[in-house]
Amino acid sequence: MKSLRLFFLSLAVASALTASAGPRQRTVSFAADTVRVLRNPLTGWVLYLGRNWDEQSYARLHYDSIPTSDGSVVDVADYATTCYLRTSWASMEPEEGRYFWNDPQSRLYKLLQSMRDRGLRLAFRIVVDARDQGQNTPLYVRDAGARGFYDANNPKVWSPYPDDSVFQAKYAKFLKAFAGKFNDINVVSFIDAYGLGKWGEAHGVKYADYANKHKVFDWITSLYQHTFTNVPLIINYHRLVGDTISWAAPAADSDSLLCSAIAKGYSLRHDAFGMTDYYKQWERDFASRFLFRRPVIMEGGWITGGHHRYWRDSSGRYREGHSEDVRAGEMADARQAHVNMMDFRIGDETVSWFGKAFSLVRQFVAHGGYRLYPSSVSYDTKVKAGGQLHVVSVWNNIGWGYCPTNIPQWHQKYKIGYALRDSQGRIVKQWTDAHSDLSTWIQGNPVSNTAALPTRGLPRGRYHLLTALIDVGNGNPALEMAVSEDLLRDGWLDVGLLTLTR
């Protein structure tokens, strides 16, 4: 990891300093860093793990030493910000009240801890329907009297009906316990907060009574809304969301159901980017309606190393044996939707990204999601002690996505911060620019913020002016800025010197 950081530093663009004409004012300009992976929430690459992964699986696939198309060898986790785990409720709670997070010896505990040790946030989808899979709902739910069904193709596995009251009560109990541990934005990037239907993808849902479709949708989205209050919630904007079928023309109520979830604070995700027969104009139009109002998370649909025949996509843009074509198609769809996150899927898909399309991996690092930095900061170099320090900063987003401080779970959590550091290296004063709104910083539209910072209580002397993107809850730098890493100290960007006078 240390060598990787040095590599990024060697490539980072140095900042340029420009003194203004006024003797008591200075303007400092900074260049954007488009190379370094920024470990910020709800942006960047997602390392997608399966239900049966463990640390040995990670090592066996050589994700810590994967070859790239430019001849280098990298650790996949160094390029990701989040580890996404799509797993079963049964793996999280095999017996009632026995939760994996209380068992350091459990497979999931060890797996997730290894991802946290790599500096990754977590994300989850909890699957309850067993069709085409193993036993996803713990059998204590069935034994408690929940109604359900057996998979015709795999009669050993049982699934609950989501409109059953026993299932709902048991699931609500589990989810509240889960939130008690993981309702933390510093640990979890997002929760894929629906999880019903085949593979938890919000389609092919099987009810005891189809008339309960809307009630079930409202129940589960409200349940996640009220349990995960600090973590972004995601819904698959599927054309048949909550319906019993999987692929057909859009259902008449899909739009209203999805909008009801978005009104509760949900953001957007789709599982079929790059599949032009599945990710169609309806999906494109739906996402565009919420552009820069809700972030979009992308999952590629084609499995190029498996049974999916991606070369039969009706677009004609994929050649058999050329997974790099699929990678380019997914990237094109992601750019069009202004997605915040893209995925490294299990096994061959991740190998394909690095081995055949590494330039696209780096392209998304440079310009995907949100990537924020100040292109210039102008400030008074001499201020009368007790007076106001005037600062004008110009901020840019060089990513095609946006920083979603407008979603309810973040509630404008991140703002511009300023600070003064004395000659001893101590931060002696901090301010928050309460008027700054990072969600309005859109690629190609620099935003200028003006602040008048009171210096009351500070002694005369020389200070360093600092700026950062802070967490308003504690005042600490929270979002990594896209500037050269050697300009930062503890997350603060050193702008320059100023003097407080008599």
Side-chain angles (χ1 to χ4, degrees):
M1 179 70 87
K2 183 177 180 181
S3 62
L4 182 64
R5 287 197 298 267
L6 292 174
F7 171 71
F8 285 155
L9 285 175
S10 68
L11 294 180
V13 181
S15 67
L17 304 182
T18 306
S20 66
R24 291 179 177 271
Q25 292 183 332
R26 188 184 187 203
T27 297
V28 184
S29 299
F30 300 93
D33 178 338
T34 60
V35 177
R36 183 164 54 95
V37 174
L38 306 181
R39 291 286 179 88
N40 287 326
L42 218 59
T43 189
W45 285 102
V46 176
L47 178 57
Y48 181 135
L49 302 185
R51 59 189 285 151
N52 296 319
W53 269 50
D54 55 20
E55 188 63 8
Q56 287 70 38
S57 299
Y58 187 94
R60 187 169 62 251
L61 289 167
H62 305 296
Y63 280 15
D64 55 351
S65 56
I66 191 168
T68 70
S69 53
D70 70 357
S72 59
V73 177
V74 301
D75 185 338
V76 173
D78 288 340
Y79 286 83
T81 66
T82 298
C83 161
Y84 173 69
L85 182 68
R86 184 188 296 195
T87 192
S88 65
W89 175 11
S91 68
M92 293 180 148
E93 188 191 18
E95 299 173 6
E96 187 164 14
R98 184 159 73 88
Y99 306 118
F100 82 90
W101 55 86
N102 293 329
D103 180 7
Q105 300 306 312
S106 69
R107 184 179 189 141
L108 274 186
Y109 188 104
K110 292 178 180 180
L111 172 62
L112 297 183
Q113 186 59 52
S114 75
M115 295 298 114
R116 292 292 292 153
D117 290 344
R118 287 179 166 89
L120 301 179
R121 286 179 171 82
L122 307 176
F124 298 93
R125 174 187 288 176
I126 304 166
V127 184
V128 300
D129 194 308
R131 283 173 292 171
D132 296 337
Q133 298 190 330
Q135 186 60 51
N136 282 338
T137 294
L139 289 177
Y140 80 78
V141 178
R142 180 199 63 185
D143 296 342
R147 293 172 297 161
F149 60 94
Y150 288 89
D151 186 354
N153 297 318
N154 186 4
K156 293 183 179 180
V157 295
W158 175 87
S159 300
Y161 291 122
D163 49 342
D164 178 81
S165 60
V166 175
F167 159 75
Q168 291 187 0
K170 297 296 186 182
Y171 190 74
K173 177 186 173 185
F174 157 74
L175 200 65
K176 289 173 183 176
F178 183 49
K181 180 66 176 180
F182 290 97
N183 187 23
D184 184 349
I185 186 57
N186 296 310
V187 176
V188 179
S189 262
F190 63 87
I191 297 287
D192 201 339
Y194 183 78
L196 303 181
K198 297 190 74 173
W199 314 299
E201 291 183 350
H203 61 81
V205 184
K206 194 168 182 178
Y207 302 91
D209 183 351
Y210 179 74
N212 292 323
K213 170 183 172 181
H214 285 208
K215 291 180 180 178
V216 168
F217 191 90
D218 181 63
W219 164 74
I220 197 162
T221 53
S222 295
L223 176 61
Y224 272 98
Q225 175 195 16
H226 294 130
T227 51
F228 281 92
T229 54
N230 300 323
V231 173
L233 306 176
I234 308 298
I235 188 76
N236 188 350
Y237 54 105
H238 199 288
R239 61 178 55 207
L240 294 161
V241 66
D243 216 295
T244 56
I245 55 177
S246 294
W247 295 111
D253 58 358
S254 291
D255 188 283
S256 61
L257 287 174
L258 289 169
C259 287
S260 73
I262 292 168
K264 294 176 182 178
Y266 274 65
S267 297
L268 300 177
R269 170 190 175 90
H270 204 282
D271 294 2
F273 273 74
M275 303 180 86
T276 58
D277 295 315
Y278 298 93
Y279 192 77
K280 291 188 171 184
Q281 197 61 44
W282 187 92
E283 288 78 13
R284 296 173 187 273
D285 290 344
F286 188 88
S288 69
R289 285 164 51 193
F290 296 94
L291 181 61
F292 306 136
R293 294 167 54 198
R294 287 289 187 270
V296 178
I297 293 174
M298 166 271 198
E299 179 181 310
W302 287 116
I303 302 175
T304 61
H307 60 279
H308 288 190
R309 298 180 179 181
Y310 57 87
W311 54 92
R312 296 190 175 185
D313 189 282
S314 64
S315 67
R317 61 186 182 181
Y318 307 141
R319 298 168 294 168
E320 183 175 358
H322 290 269
S323 63
E324 68 273 20
D325 293 352
V326 178
R327 307 285 81 95
E330 291 173 348
M331 179 67 77
D333 284 352
R335 185 185 297 108
Q336 184 272 334
H338 297 271
V339 305
N340 267 34
M341 308 187 87
M342 294 183 67
D343 72 318
F344 292 140
R345 291 197 64 172
I346 298 169
D348 290 337
E349 305 315 302
T350 299
V351 172
S352 170
W353 274 112
F354 284 87
K356 293 189 174 183
F358 189 41
S359 63
L360 297 181
V361 173
R362 291 180 296 189
Q363 184 183 126
F364 188 68
V365 168
H367 296 294
Y370 62 86
R371 198 170 178 93
L372 313 176
Y373 82 104
S375 55
S376 67
V377 181
S378 302
Y379 68 98
D380 301 327
T381 58
K382 290 186 178 181
V383 179
K384 187 175 180 180
Q388 290 187 328
L389 167 61
H390 296 94
V391 181
V392 178
S393 54
V394 179
W395 293 83
N396 296 260
N397 179 5
I398 58 172
W400 64 50
Y402 86 112
C403 183
T405 55
N406 61 328
I407 62 176
Q409 298 86 4
W410 282 17
H411 193 59
Q412 295 296 334
K413 180 180 179 65
Y414 306 111
K415 298 282 186 182
I416 299 172
Y418 297 104
L420 292 183
R421 179 179 284 142
D422 68 13
S423 59
Q424 304 301 311
R426 300 170 300 189
I427 292 179
V428 296
K429 188 74 172 180
Q430 288 186 227
W431 302 269
T432 300
D433 184 350
H435 299 292
S436 54
D437 183 353
L438 281 56
S439 71
T440 65
W441 299 357
I442 306 303
Q443 187 179 53
N445 295 288
V447 173
S448 179
N449 279 73
T450 301
L453 310 176
T455 64
R456 183 174 57 255
L458 289 173
R460 290 172 292 163
R462 301 192 78 192
Y463 299 90
H464 285 262
L465 175 64
L466 314 174
T467 191
L469 298 175
I470 65 167
D471 184 329
V472 297
N474 55 32
N476 295 328
L479 300 182
E480 294 187 59
M481 295 177 289
V483 295
S484 181
E485 194 172 21
D486 59 354
L487 301 176
L488 300 169
R489 178 177 170 185
D490 298 327
W492 291 99
L493 174 63
D494 194 328
V495 177
L497 284 167
L498 63 88
T499 302
L500 294 183
T501 67
R502 288 182 181 272

